Amino acid sequence: MKINNPAANTIGNNYHYELNDIQNKLLKCINENPGIRYRELLRSTCLSNGVLTYHLKILEEMRRISTLRQKKATRYYSIAIPIEELRIIAHLRIRIERAIIIFILEHDLCTFDEIVEYSKKAPSTISWYLRRLCEDRVISIHYGEYQLYTIVDRKLVNQILYKYNETFTDKLVNNFIDMADNL
């Protein structure tokens, strides 16, 4: 996972440039939907692919947005969101990961079997999501008689859950994914 948080960079051009209507529209959309993906921005702004790419690049160069680039998706954030929150928000925008995180929060320590039973997903699917969450240090594993999963920073995750509720777009995308999984 590569995070580009311009607020953390001290080197670079300092732009004094007034934003145009498109850039203001993009900033508003990104601020209202932290962690929004490129395709979601395309749909919600009705911009063409090239126009969106062009203006996102300008906003990045101007250090007006942060980006989190992962293997399959790039997510866009307000520059005001701290780096430690970016990776957590990305996981909370995915329904099954959000459900896993909330389940572990509610139970403090959970076994793999408890998470599988709760989620009603295949063990291989849950294993894949848990691995992603562990890699990004959202959850950790405690080894003993059983592998027990817990949230690394409970206070921060609770704050983020409270601050950033699931958006309507997230619900639509997650419903579509659920339908595809059931086919």
Side-chain angles (χ1 to χ4, degrees), residues 125-163:
T125 301
I126 296 304
S127 178
W128 186 81
Y129 283 117
L130 289 173
R131 184 173 31 85
R132 283 176 32 109
L133 289 164
C134 285
E135 286 171 357
D136 285 343
R137 295 179 307 281
V138 177
I139 64 172
S140 64
I141 305 172
H142 296 278
Y143 296 96
E145 187 178 337
Y146 298 101
Q147 286 184 353
L148 297 172
Y149 295 87
T150 190
I151 302 294
V152 172
D153 189 340
R154 296 176 65 78
K155 183 178 177 185
L156 179 61
V157 171
N158 273 318
Q159 287 172 349
I160 293 170
L161 278 167
Y162 179 75
K163 201 181 335 182

Side-chain angles (χ1 to χ4, degrees), residues 3 27 37 40 45 52 72 75 77 106 134 154 171:
I3 298 173
L27 269 180
R37 292 184 301 195
E40 294 171 87
T45 61
L52 178 60
K72 293 187 178 186
R75 294 186 179 272
Y77 299 87
E106 290 172 351
C134 285
R154 296 176 65 78
K171 291 175 186 175

Side-chain angles (χ1 to χ4, degrees), residues 20-55:
N20 64 31
D21 291 341
I22 293 173
Q23 292 157 352
N24 281 319
K25 181 180 182 179
L26 284 171
L27 269 180
K28 183 177 188 264
C29 189
I30 291 168
N31 288 335
E32 290 173 354
N33 302 286
I36 191 167
R37 292 184 301 195
Y38 184 85
R39 292 269 181 211
E40 294 171 87
L41 276 170
L42 269 175
R43 281 189 291 274
S44 63
T45 61
C46 299
L47 296 172
S48 70
N49 195 11
V51 170
L52 178 60
T53 300
Y54 172 78
H55 288 288

Side-chain angles (χ1 to χ4, degrees), residues 11-138:
I11 300 172
N13 296 328
N14 191 1
Y15 292 92
H16 298 287
Y17 174 82
E18 195 163 318
L19 299 178
N20 64 31
D21 291 341
I22 293 173
Q23 292 157 352
N24 281 319
K25 181 180 182 179
L26 284 171
L27 269 180
K28 183 177 188 264
C29 189
I30 291 168
N31 288 335
E32 290 173 354
N33 302 286
I36 191 167
R37 292 184 301 195
Y38 184 85
R39 292 269 181 211
E40 294 171 87
L41 276 170
L42 269 175
R43 281 189 291 274
S44 63
T45 61
C46 299
L47 296 172
S48 70
N49 195 11
V51 170
L52 178 60
T53 300
Y54 172 78
H55 288 288
L56 286 172
K57 183 177 180 193
I58 288 173
L59 290 172
E60 278 188 80
E61 288 174 355
M62 291 174 61
R63 300 172 184 217
R64 300 297 296 265
I65 59 173
S66 295
T67 57
L68 182 124
R69 288 181 170 80
Q70 296 175 303
K71 293 177 186 173
K72 293 187 178 186
T74 299
R75 294 186 179 272
Y76 299 92
Y77 299 87
S78 163
I79 197 68
I81 298 175
I83 291 173
E84 58 273 4
E85 290 185 18
L86 297 183
R87 63 181 166 66
I88 296 172
I89 293 170
H91 290 288
L92 290 174
R93 290 188 62 108
I94 300 167
R95 176 181 287 164
I96 185 65
E97 290 185 27
R98 181 184 187 88
I100 290 169
I101 290 168
I102 291 171
F103 181 76
I104 295 172
L105 266 176
E106 290 172 351
H107 296 87
D108 194 32
L109 292 170
C110 300
T111 66
F112 179 79
D113 291 338
E114 289 171 333
I115 297 168
V116 169
E117 183 179 325
Y118 166 76
S119 69
K120 299 186 182 0
K121 299 283 184 192
S124 59
T125 301
I126 296 304
S127 178
W128 186 81
Y129 283 117
L130 289 173
R131 184 173 31 85
R132 283 176 32 109
L133 289 164
C134 285
E135 286 171 357
D136 285 343
R137 295 179 307 281
V138 177

Side-chain angles (χ1 to χ4, degrees), residues 33 165-173:
N33 302 286
N165 292 321
E166 185 178 31
T167 67
F168 179 70
T169 305
D170 291 337
K171 291 175 186 175
L172 287 176
V173 170

